[in-house]
Amino acid sequence: MPENTIDKDELIRQLMADRDRLFRENSRLRTAQNIAPEGVQQVHNEQLAAKDTLINKKEALLQKKDVRIAQLEKQVDYLKRQLYGGKAERYINPDPQARQLELFEGVDLLPGEKEAAAKAEKEIRSEKEARAKRMEKAKKIAVRKSLPENLERKIEHIYPEGYNPEEWDLLDEKDSLYTEVLMKEPTKFYVLRTYRHKAIRKADHIIVTAGCPIKPIAKSYASSSLLADLMVDKYVDHIPFYRQHKQFERLGIKIPEPTILGWFQQVSDLLMPLHFRLWELMKKTNYLQCDETTLPVVRNDKHKTVKGYIWLVRDPMSGRQYFYWDKGSRSGEVVLKLFNGYQGALQTDGYERYELLDGKKGVILLSCWAHARRKFSDAIKNDKERAEKALEQIQLLYEVERQIKDQALSFEDTAKLRTRLAYPILVRFEKWLVAEHAKVIKGSPIEKAIMYTYKRFNKLSRYHLDGAYNIDNNGIENAVRPVAVGRKNYLFCQNDDTAESTAIIYSFMGCCKAAGVDFRKWMIYFLDHVHDYDEDYTMDIADLLPDKLKMKGLL
């Protein structure tokens, strides 16, 4: 076996290298041991800070999602009510005796105010129960009504199978069994040709030619009945002109759409002086209601359809309606321009631009209780107890209005009844709003409902001062519905001129409805007589308003 030889120099180098490596390792461990507590703590703190930041971000995200979920749930609830629920806003308490007189216990009411409110509430509820019993007795079984007697009747006879007059005797010749069905024939066009004859008088040999009938639109073959039907079909039955064009084609007549649009514009031009006169008369009254709604219009400069606003002013006394278009604007400038010079009460919704009129001399602003009620109705899911308490009190105010309607009270007696029954409820309700606002969460639906009502409470309570005032703005909201239905069919107006013409047509359509006048008959009468006012300026074109023509027995 060979002997192993060891290189001493190599061994010494290896030992020195290992010693040097161990020394460096030992130095590194000692350095790490000296700085470890602070370094570890720093790393730990950084990790905690990062963790807290992450948690905060997640909490903010969750909070944002909760708000969004609440908004979507509110929208879903609203859509469910629209699809499946009753549309009436009237609040009906399932247990009206539960909190009848203890509802506002603990509110800082004066003894006299509390007693008056309790007494008024008791009387209101008593009258409500009596009215419910009267309505129950008045209910009758519904029966199918016969067809109107004024309709033309065509007769047909059906005999037994095999009947022969020579071989059979009729048993019911004077009292036969019969059934009636309602028939309808399609509309038809016809042409009225008018010959204008000329003749010579034998006495003086003067030749006289019959005058040309005055047409509503000069140099046009459109009659008053055709123009009236075009307006009725679009603005009463909501059939756009292009669809009417198709209907005409099916009946065998082709009228170009540009021609129909031109007729429409010319009819509105004829109506414009009466439209101005209508507003002059309405501004002289001392009580009006106002509302606005959207009406899309095409802007050629923007090459797209934009949302414009059409305004409606209603006279609750006469029912007259005035639609107004000012380039689709909803600004405060329109409010100031529209009601410039008006003196009287103006009832509106909660749109803040109407506040510009609040400080004007001679103008009294009234608010709408239906809008306040709607706020509390929307807040039921957020705070059911407080929302129901508010709705119960508002319902008491409306019960007073039903008494007024049932008893057909005069304006003077209406004001007295409101002062006796509604005013104590209003006093109690106002103090409840103040007391409860401090207890609710800021920004919540119930807080918004309370603040909305309290900020306008002086305007909401003014209706009890005059029997002519209405408790809400529902009359004008019903009057503006044809616009909402119409824009779903004709979609938009082609320009501002068309929108202004639309406002004019809607104005007189609403006036006819309020006066109980057929819009078609009125339009025909207007078109046949409007040129009577062209030369004689002593005549007042207001005589052509639907209610005035009805009073004269002309419609």
Side-chain angles (χ1 to χ4, degrees), residues 97-109:
Q97 303 296 330
R99 299 189 300 271
Q100 181 168 327
L101 298 178
E102 308 299 328
L103 187 61
F104 286 80
E105 186 176 358
V107 179
D108 187 17
L109 283 167

Side-chain angles (χ1 to χ4, degrees), residues 53-298:
T53 303
L54 183 62
I55 292 174
N56 291 336
K57 288 182 178 180
K58 288 184 176 180
E59 287 180 351
L61 182 61
L62 289 173
Q63 187 177 7
K64 185 177 180 180
K65 288 183 177 180
D66 289 340
V67 172
R68 182 57 178 162
I69 290 171
Q71 292 174 347
L72 293 174
E73 287 179 344
K74 185 177 179 180
Q75 293 177 8
V76 170
D77 291 340
Y78 171 77
L79 293 173
K80 284 183 177 179
R81 288 197 302 272
Q82 294 297 310
L83 287 173
Y84 309 114
K87 300 300 184 291
E89 293 179 345
R90 183 187 303 182
Y91 174 76
I92 301 177
N93 183 7
D95 186 9
Q97 303 296 330
R99 299 189 300 271
Q100 181 168 327
L101 298 178
E102 308 299 328
L103 187 61
F104 286 80
E105 186 176 358
V107 179
D108 187 17
L109 283 167
L110 298 177
E113 294 174 341
K114 186 173 183 179
E115 182 181 353
K119 184 179 178 181
E121 181 174 350
K122 186 175 181 180
E123 183 176 343
I124 292 170
R125 293 189 184 278
S126 176
E127 177 60 27
K128 179 182 178 181
E129 293 175 359
R131 184 174 66 256
K133 291 179 181 178
R134 291 195 300 269
M135 292 176 63
E136 188 67 26
K137 290 182 180 180
K139 284 184 178 180
K140 297 180 180 180
I141 300 175
V143 294
R144 187 175 69 176
K145 295 182 179 180
S146 59
L147 295 173
E149 294 296 331
N150 61 334
L151 292 179
E152 176 190 359
R153 278 170 167 74
K154 296 181 179 180
I155 307 299
E156 70 173 1
H157 294 272
I158 301 177
Y159 297 97
E161 185 177 355
Y163 172 78
N164 186 337
E166 298 179 357
E167 300 177 357
W168 295 55
D169 291 328
L170 285 176
L171 302 179
D172 56 356
E173 188 171 0
K174 295 183 178 180
D175 188 21
S176 303
L177 297 175
Y178 69 89
T179 58
E180 291 187 333
V181 293
L182 188 63
M183 307 293 289
K184 183 179 183 299
E185 295 181 356
T187 305
K188 66 177 181 179
F189 287 95
Y190 70 92
V191 177
L192 176 62
R193 178 181 293 179
T194 303
Y195 288 97
R196 298 165 50 223
H197 295 282
K198 59 182 178 179
I200 183 170
R201 284 201 300 258
K202 294 181 179 180
D204 52 13
H205 302 284
I206 296 178
I207 299 174
V208 180
T209 304
C212 181
I214 298 177
K215 300 178 181 179
I217 300 176
K219 300 180 181 180
S220 170
Y221 59 80
S223 65
S224 299
S225 59
L226 176 58
L227 296 173
D229 282 336
L230 287 169
M231 302 304 112
V232 169
D233 285 350
K234 180 170 182 178
Y235 292 103
V236 178
D237 299 327
H238 314 293
I239 304 175
F241 287 140
Y242 75 90
R243 293 184 194 169
Q244 295 187 51
H245 171 74
K246 296 295 183 183
Q247 290 178 344
F248 294 162
E249 285 187 341
R250 291 198 297 271
L251 294 171
I253 183 72
K254 291 185 178 181
I255 304 177
E257 286 188 57
T259 301
I260 295 176
L261 293 174
W263 290 346
F264 161 66
Q265 196 63 53
Q266 288 173 298
V267 168
S268 69
D269 290 343
L270 292 173
L271 287 166
M272 192 171 293
L274 184 59
H275 191 246
F276 291 146
R277 185 74 178 109
L278 169 66
W279 182 230
E280 288 179 356
L281 295 175
M282 290 180 63
K283 285 179 71 173
K284 293 179 181 179
T285 62
N286 57 7
Y287 175 35
L288 295 174
Q289 296 176 327
C290 187
D291 196 10
E292 71 285 338
T293 189
T294 58
L295 184 65
V297 62
V298 176

